Amino acid sequence: MSTEFSDLRAVVTGGAGFVGSHLCEELLSRGASVVCIDNFSTGRRRNIGSLLADPSFELLELDISQPSNDPPGVDGRVDLVFNLASPASPKDYFALPLETLAVGSIGTTRVLELAYSKGAKFLHASTSEVYGDPKEHPQREGYWGNVNPVGPRSVYDEAKRFSEAVVSSYRRERGLDAKLVRIFNTYGPRMKPDDGRVVSTFIHQAIAGRPLTVFGEGSQTRSLCFVDDLVAGILAMMGSGEGGPVNLGNPDERTILEIAKFV
Ligand code: NAD
Ligand code: UDP
């Protein structure tokens, strides 16, 4: 196990979410101390339940988009900031459209300010959704995307695109060591059973003995990355000299029908 994070103090926004809780765990196991910031809008307390007793783990329950938390107050030294806070599944961001826009824009800017004021390295969790309804396959980082700015998904896609713009601006204008990763479909323990994403949906349908809801012919493809591999990628990026954007995901594409048959 790499020790490159030992004795560092990391802030993880969205640390009580699916990906964030695995990231907090891995940072602790590599010897870092962790400040988890979360407002529990889509995350769950039980995701971090086992970490609360660890003296190297601290929880700050706050909304990073709220002006009263300016910049999101963290006392003392901070070496690394991982910005993961945002509703992420379509079901969640359709239910929280304005909050999703706020966290991608105001929230991300406040967390950048926190990193800047502490002289910390910063990593932002962006998404393959910045490519929108892509006209290029596969999507390489140089592709600028095809996003509808006024459709219902724009609350997520455009918020993440704004985040990428403001992160890039802090890098250019303020010299912040800021990194962008674009995360593709990820699966693993702690996904919410009802969040509508394909793997959790199929597994819970199978456990309940119900038919699996393959949409259409199931010939559409996705590449699914296991959450531990994603976390390894996020930490490799933070430990590297790269700024990105870097796509993070599994390159092995499967049809939805294949995934259903496997489940
Ligand atoms: P998640 O919903 O499980 O976790 C997000 C966390 O952020 C939750 O704990 C939520 O309570 C917290 N949060 C939301 N708004 C907040 C705010 N204003 N202040 C403080 N905390 C707030 O989602 P996830 O799947 O773990 O995704 C984590 C990050 O990775 C997101 O930024 C998401 O866009 C990105 N991402 C995830 C995937 C994936 O497949 N899971 C794919 C692409 C990108
Ligand atoms: N999907 C499906 N049945 C479901 C949920 C999803 O066939 O119950 C399909 C969906 O049409 C899409 C793919 O699985 O083609 C991945 O969907 P998901 O929402 O997990 O991810 P995204 O579309 O955001 O990549």
Side-chain angles (χ1 to χ4, degrees):
M1 189 66 73
S2 159
T3 55
E4 65 193 304
F5 294 96
S6 56
D7 301 325
L8 296 183
R9 187 157 186 252
V11 168
V12 180
T13 75
F18 160 52
V19 176
S21 59
H22 288 277
L23 176 61
C24 289
E25 246 170 42
E26 184 60 18
L27 281 163
L28 289 166
S29 83
R30 294 195 192 191
S33 57
V34 174
V35 181
C36 164
I37 299 183
D38 207 294
N39 68 349
F40 295 99
S41 58
T42 61
R44 293 181 296 184
R45 232 166 259 281
R46 71 166 181 267
N47 288 346
I48 51 166
S50 63
L51 306 181
L52 289 169
D54 187 328
S56 300
F57 183 80
E58 210 179 313
L59 170 65
L60 286 183
E61 187 169 345
L62 57 84
D63 180 345
I64 60 165
S65 308
Q66 285 304 315
S68 51
N69 307 316
D70 190 18
V74 179
D75 295 330
R77 180 181 64 120
V78 176
D79 304 297
L80 309 171
V81 175
F82 297 86
N83 189 39
L84 275 66
S86 171
S89 77
K91 193 175 169 196
D92 285 338
Y93 60 72
F94 289 149
L96 298 166
L98 297 176
E99 292 83 350
T100 303
L101 284 161
V103 77
S105 53
I106 304 165
T108 296
T109 308
R110 289 185 194 289
V111 178
L112 279 161
E113 204 47 50
L114 169 73
Y116 182 66
S117 70
K118 301 282 185 182
K121 285 166 84 171
F122 177 94
L123 179 144
H124 179 71
S126 187
T127 169
S128 55
E129 296 294 322
V130 298
Y131 300 121
D133 187 6
K135 293 188 183 298
E136 279 185 17
H137 296 277
Q139 296 87 51
R140 303 194 191 287
E141 289 87 343
Y143 178 51
W144 291 355
N146 177 40
V147 173
N148 173 358
V150 294
R153 295 185 81 105
S154 66
V155 298
Y156 184 65
D157 302 2
E158 295 290 23
K160 289 289 185 179
R161 287 170 70 92
F162 179 88
S163 295
E164 289 205 5
V166 71
V167 169
S168 303
S169 203
Y170 265 75
R171 188 160 62 205
R172 268 193 308 269
E173 307 303 324
R174 305 229 172 137
L176 183 72
D177 189 351
K179 296 152 187 296
L180 287 168
V181 293
R182 293 180 179 152
I183 300 170
F184 283 62
N185 299 61
T186 302
Y187 71 98
R190 303 191 196 130
M191 288 185 86
K192 287 183 284 190
D194 59 348
D195 81 356
R197 287 188 274 193
V198 68
V199 174
S200 47
T201 301
F202 283 176
I203 289 175
H204 283 87
Q205 288 168 337
I207 290 170
R210 295 199 308 269
L212 307 198
T213 50
V214 173
F215 297 159
E217 299 293 307
S219 56
Q220 65 275 41
T221 60
R222 289 293 186 279
S223 55
L224 302 169
C225 185
F226 189 61
V227 65
D228 289 357
D229 297 325
L230 174 68
V231 166
I234 289 173
L235 293 177
M237 184 70 177
M238 188 58 114
S240 79
E242 297 294 321
V246 167
N247 290 338
L248 282 185
N250 177 357
D252 179 19
E253 274 188 57
R254 301 296 173 100
T255 66
I256 295 303
L257 196 57
E258 273 180 275
I259 294 166
K261 284 182 175 158
F262 185 76
V263 170

